[in-house]
Amino acid sequence: MPARILDGRVMSETLRAEISQRVSELKKRGITPGLAVILAGNDPASEIYVRNKGNGCLETGMYSETVRLPESISQEELEAEIDRLNQDSRIHGILVQLPLPKHLDAASALARIRPEKDVDGFHLLNAGSLMTGGEGVIPCTPKGALYMIRQTGVDLAGKDAVVIGRSNIVGKPMAMLLLRENCTVTVCHSRTKDLAEYTRRADILVAAVGRAGFVTADMVKPGAIVIDVGINRVDGKVKGDVDFDSVREVASWITPVPGGVGKMTITMLLQNTLEAAERAEKKA
Ligand code: GUN
């Protein structure tokens, strides 16, 4: 029997309806959750992501602001914008779209965001909190991926989870989240020897590689849950890191691309922004 589909569009619709509901309750109390997205330069993929983030805000009744900065912006000017948004009470979430132009220091810019407004969960305080079991903001893509894994209803404790990819945005936080779920976690990457030896043991396999169709059926354990984080453009089409048609015959659950994790990432960003506004209300 082919794998069942974990449908990010359907899950997002349900979650966004809940988010809209909570936004309207906050609005009744005079607070409109607000997200500011900083986009430096003209990277075409970033343009699309930023537009989708703005649309997500509109759809759920939030305020959104896109701060467009020229490619040539200096570090000081970028950080001055972040400082301004840190002070702006209409803004509950600040996101600096990555990658930044090469001459800029992303780590320094991310450190400048007030941790409670860091809706990406990339600030060191939030990253450290995830590592040590605290209550910080969780990065959107792994948070969405974990939500999808949980929707299978499978008991995760003691399961073998393999994450392919070790980025700060996906691989590392994903590994931490699965560890929190009591999985036995292995992180593989471009220098891993005999990758398939690891992936074939995975009850839960998360692919965040950045290469279209990289994970093939022979690399997957029968009955595995396969989560495809890849967004690769091939001949004008978006393809995942997983060879969907073949892996679908082996796995028990699988996420499609498009319509899988990508859709959930923005939904989680909206959720993180809403939660930041709810926390700000409690603190006020
Ligand atoms: N670029 C690619 N993914 C992301 C993300 O999750 N957040 C930000 N800020 N930039 C990205």
Side-chain angles (χ1 to χ4, degrees):
M1 198 175 62
R4 280 186 277 178
I5 306 290
L6 291 163
D7 189 328
R9 291 199 175 103
V10 171
M11 291 180 203
S12 281
E13 260 178 45
T14 310
L15 284 166
R16 288 187 194 199
E18 279 172 29
I19 291 168
S20 300
Q21 179 61 34
R22 276 160 69 188
V23 168
S24 62
E25 280 160 23
L26 267 181
K27 279 178 158 176
K28 280 185 213 150
R29 299 196 296 272
I31 299 163
T32 301
L35 172 69
V37 177
I38 298 180
L39 176 58
N42 319 300
D43 178 63
S46 292
E47 292 274 356
I48 298 171
Y49 295 138
V50 167
R51 194 170 61 227
N52 289 341
K53 288 165 187 175
N55 288 341
C57 286
L58 283 180
E59 189 193 313
T60 49
M62 298 192 201
Y63 171 66
S64 96
E65 198 175 300
T66 302
V67 179
R68 289 178 176 277
L69 302 173
E71 178 93 22
S72 59
I73 188 119
S74 69
Q75 187 76 27
E76 292 70 29
E77 288 167 311
L78 171 65
E79 293 187 10
E81 278 301 323
I82 295 172
D83 288 345
R84 180 180 69 76
L85 295 164
N86 276 336
Q87 299 301 329
D88 186 339
S89 60
R90 291 171 307 170
I91 298 298
H92 303 94
I94 302 170
L95 180 149
V96 176
Q97 184 64 34
L98 302 176
L100 283 171
K102 285 201 173 54
H103 66 281
L104 296 172
D105 179 348
S108 165
L110 296 175
R112 195 83 174 200
I113 299 171
R114 275 172 57 182
E116 60 271 33
K117 292 197 178 189
D118 166 39
V119 282
D120 255 332
F122 295 166
H123 190 284
L124 295 180
L125 206 72
N126 286 317
S129 164
L130 175 59
M131 181 104 174
T132 54
E135 293 236 313
V137 181
I138 293 170
C140 306
T141 300
K143 189 179 183 187
L146 180 64
Y147 182 91
M148 298 179 100
I149 294 168
R150 282 197 180 130
Q151 291 303 108
T152 64
V154 170
D155 180 11
L156 301 181
K159 292 288 189 297
D160 285 314
V162 172
V163 179
I164 320 176
R166 55 175 157 177
S167 70
N168 292 335
I169 294 181
V170 182
K172 283 185 224 165
M174 187 78 245
M176 283 301 143
L177 286 173
L178 290 164
L179 196 54
R180 271 178 25 172
E181 298 293 326
N182 299 311
C183 293
T184 303
V185 182
T186 304
V187 180
C188 298
H189 48 79
S190 54
R191 306 291 284 271
T192 298
K193 285 183 284 170
D194 301 327
L195 176 67
E197 294 290 317
Y198 295 94
T199 60
R200 274 198 287 268
R201 291 192 47 177
D203 302 305
I204 299 153
L205 180 60
V206 180
V209 190
R211 282 168 64 181
F214 181 80
V215 174
T216 47
D218 57 306
M219 296 167 71
V220 175
K221 179 177 178 176
I225 300 169
V226 178
I227 305 294
D228 189 348
V229 180
I231 298 181
N232 309 289
R233 271 161 243 275
V234 182
D235 301 330
K237 285 198 181 139
V238 175
K239 297 267 179 200
D241 289 345
V242 174
D243 180 36
F244 183 86
D245 291 337
S246 73
V247 171
R248 192 184 180 185
E249 299 303 320
V250 182
S252 66
W253 294 90
I254 190 168
T255 66
V257 176
V261 176
K263 189 82 187 167
M264 294 294 285
T265 294
I266 296 188
T267 301
M268 292 298 143
L269 174 67
L270 300 171
Q271 193 180 71
N272 282 350
T273 304
L274 167 67
E275 287 171 0
E278 288 173 341
R279 280 196 307 271
E281 183 192 32
K282 283 208 189 93
K283 268 182 89 177

